[in-house]
Amino acid sequence: MNNISLLSIPKSYKILITGHINPDGDALGSGLAMKLALDNLDYSTTVSYDYINKISEELRFLPIEHVSKSDTLGSKYDLSIVFDCGDPKRLGKLEDIVLKSETIYVIDHHLDNIFGTHVEIDSNAASTTQVLYRMFIKENISVTPSIATCLLTGLITDTGRFQYSNTSSEVFDIASSLLQLGADLTLITESIYGSVSNEALQLQAEVIQRLNIFSEVGLSYSYVLQRDYSKYNTIPEETDFLIDVIRLPKETNVAMLLKEQEDGTHKGSLRSRGHIDVQTIASLFDGGGHKAAAGFSTNLTPDEILNKVSNAIRLQS
Ligand SMILES: [Mn+2]
């Protein structure tokens, strides 16, 4: 596979920029940073993602006015640039249109890449925005304050505010450079971590009440039901922060939060603070992620999921 040179993209190209379904701070931050950078260089780009309902509330401070609805896209793009996504299936509705592009650039930090005509992947990078920042610097592409804010967003969210074990000294070097370039740290942290709706907080109280500690395997577990969303007038996208409280019990090393979906299936989020590799566990359900944070979707029942996860932890212990 070939390396990527951004400045050698022909100016005539119609470019689609995207990332994984229901984009997080990293997928959205890298895609929007790329759009702003390429638009400054007079390229014609479209950014779009597949997401349910709307972009997560806490990420709406990003320049999301540049995100086009997936049903307004053209029929074909010369080049698709994909961020934070190793498997075209994770593009959701955009899978077909991306795969129609003759040239596909994948810029990522996941281990499990299976597509792209050109790739720039570093599985040791904490975030995709870290990989993208290096590319901008290497090619001397100007990083404006809004681009810096987009890039820093991915770095902050994917390191759990510089707390996860992927927080290397380079992460701090890049964060420092991005601040010098004008990134708005307060805007990012206040929007993402400084505020949730009172109702989402009440839902958190209920999810904590349901907390189950499986001490034999060191697993902390809770769940969100469909009816919780109506009871607390909350949308699923507003509950992403819940996993951070589920992982707190110090008696445990692995945390799992299951969210019941509309069709009765479940989405699982996994976190690890020790040697247990939760990406391997998520892969048992065809999910993915990183050693310390991963996710999956499944139609197994919660009991079946708990069994499978507990066994997988035992195997790694
Ligand atoms: Mn990421």
Side-chain angles (χ1 to χ4, degrees), residues 132-292:
L132 183 58
Y133 173 81
R134 292 178 188 149
M135 294 172 74
F136 285 163
I137 295 305
K138 190 172 150 204
E139 296 200 56
N140 241 318
I141 291 172
S142 148
V143 176
T144 62
S146 28
I147 294 174
T149 297
C150 292
L151 294 173
L152 187 58
T153 297
L155 209 52
I156 289 177
T157 53
D158 269 25
T159 57
R161 290 179 267 184
F162 306 117
Q163 290 175 21
Y164 299 156
S165 58
N166 59 8
T167 312
S168 62
S169 63
E170 188 199 356
V171 165
F172 283 109
D173 286 343
I174 293 177
S176 165
S177 304
L178 290 172
L179 285 180
Q180 281 171 26
L181 290 162
D184 192 338
L185 177 65
T186 314
L187 176 68
I188 299 170
T189 54
E190 266 306 302
S191 307
I192 302 181
Y193 303 106
S195 52
V196 297
S197 70
N198 177 42
E199 282 165 314
L201 204 59
Q202 300 309 315
L203 170 58
Q204 172 176 316
E206 180 143 358
V207 169
I208 293 174
Q209 286 292 327
R210 294 174 185 159
L211 198 65
N212 226 312
I213 306 285
F214 295 89
S215 43
E216 185 230 333
V217 288
L219 172 68
S220 167
Y221 163 70
S222 191
Y223 54 92
V224 181
L225 300 170
Q226 274 296 312
R227 62 175 152 83
D228 296 332
Y229 298 123
S230 46
K231 181 175 174 191
Y232 292 101
N233 190 29
T234 302
I235 58 169
E237 294 69 40
E238 285 177 278
T239 62
D240 289 347
F241 71 99
L242 290 175
I243 185 66
D244 294 323
V245 70
I246 302 308
R247 68 187 285 274
L248 284 180
K250 64 180 181 187
E251 296 80 1
T252 65
N253 289 314
V254 181
M256 177 166 72
L257 180 68
L258 288 183
K259 290 181 185 173
E260 185 187 33
Q261 305 296 297
E262 269 174 44
D263 61 3
T265 64
H266 285 85
K267 264 194 180 165
S269 300
L270 291 163
R271 295 289 184 275
S272 164
R273 67 162 126 251
H275 69 283
I276 305 282
D277 174 358
V278 288
Q279 197 234 316
T280 309
I281 300 178
S283 71
L284 301 174
F285 304 91
D286 289 325
H290 309 279
K291 187 173 180 270

